[in-house]
Amino acid sequence: MAAHNVIKGSLNGAGKRFALVAGRFNEYIVDSLVNGARNTLEQHGVAPDDIFLVQVPGCFELPLAARMVAQSNPDLSGIVALGAVIRGATPHFDYVAGECASGIRQVSMELNLPVGFGVLTTETIEQAIERAGTKAGNKGADVALTVLEMANLSDALKAGN
Ligand code: INI
């Protein structure tokens, strides 16, 4: 039986504006995430001119960049943060991935703005490639949809639904 009184965001992107904030570290992989996010937003009705890309050195910089972008673009509906942290053999991974994840959550809560965590955190480069548009989907595309849904949820709640 269908549930009543359910509120959720639609996936209609018409009239909405988004920033993609992306790390250049592991750029070959992140480029595929950016393309996946951009294509998905356009397929759901976001005008190409209403999507812009901001690049930063690596994932550690994503939270601050998202905050700066949101503050200088008050008309944004949401931000898709994109990057790839690959463990390899370094404990640096835990610091970069952990700080990035908690920083993005903090910025999203502080600004009351959907900021999606489109950051791959994998053991190997092969696992990252699999999640960047090959056999395990495209994390950029998935997270773009999440941000779009949350942006529409925000509108629905503000409209008193
Ligand atoms: N940045 C990434 O985006 N991915 C990584 O895998 C990575 N590794 O492995 O170190 C990485 N490091 C750079 C980091 O994001 C910052 O740019 C740097 O520490 C300067 O603040």
Side-chain angles (χ1 to χ4, degrees), residues 23-26 57-61 83-87 90 92-93 96:
R24 280 193 308 273
F25 211 101
N26 298 312
C59 285
F60 192 82
E61 284 70 41
V85 196
I86 299 167
R87 184 183 290 277
T90 165
H92 197 56
F93 171 97
V96 173

Side-chain angles (χ1 to χ4, degrees), residues 41-54:
L41 291 173
E42 290 182 13
Q43 282 160 10
H44 286 80
V46 183
D49 285 349
D50 286 333
I51 303 169
F52 64 96
L53 173 65
V54 176

Side-chain angles (χ1 to χ4, degrees), residues 20-142:
L20 312 178
V21 181
R24 280 193 308 273
F25 211 101
N26 298 312
E27 192 164 25
Y28 160 74
I29 290 162
V30 179
D31 277 353
S32 297
L33 301 179
V34 169
N35 289 336
R38 188 189 289 281
N39 291 340
T40 297
L41 291 173
E42 290 182 13
Q43 282 160 10
H44 286 80
V46 183
D49 285 349
D50 286 333
I51 303 169
F52 64 96
L53 173 65
V54 176
Q55 289 188 314
V56 296
C59 285
F60 192 82
E61 284 70 41
L62 289 176
L64 175 60
R67 193 168 188 273
M68 294 191 299
V69 167
Q71 288 184 330
S72 55
N73 292 271
D75 60 338
L76 275 185
S77 303
I79 296 175
V80 187
L82 299 161
V85 196
I86 299 167
R87 184 183 290 277
T90 165
H92 197 56
F93 171 97
D94 296 309
Y95 297 104
V96 173
E99 291 300 322
C100 176
S102 64
I104 284 173
R105 178 192 49 74
Q106 192 182 328
V107 167
S108 184
M109 299 293 280
E110 188 184 309
L111 300 179
N112 200 22
L113 181 76
V115 183
F117 183 65
V119 175
L120 293 173
T121 56
T122 63
E123 295 294 320
T124 66
I125 193 157
E126 289 77 16
Q127 290 169 347
I129 291 169
E130 283 173 12
R131 292 160 176 75
T134 61
K135 61 180 186 186
N138 185 312
K139 180 86 167 172
D142 294 347

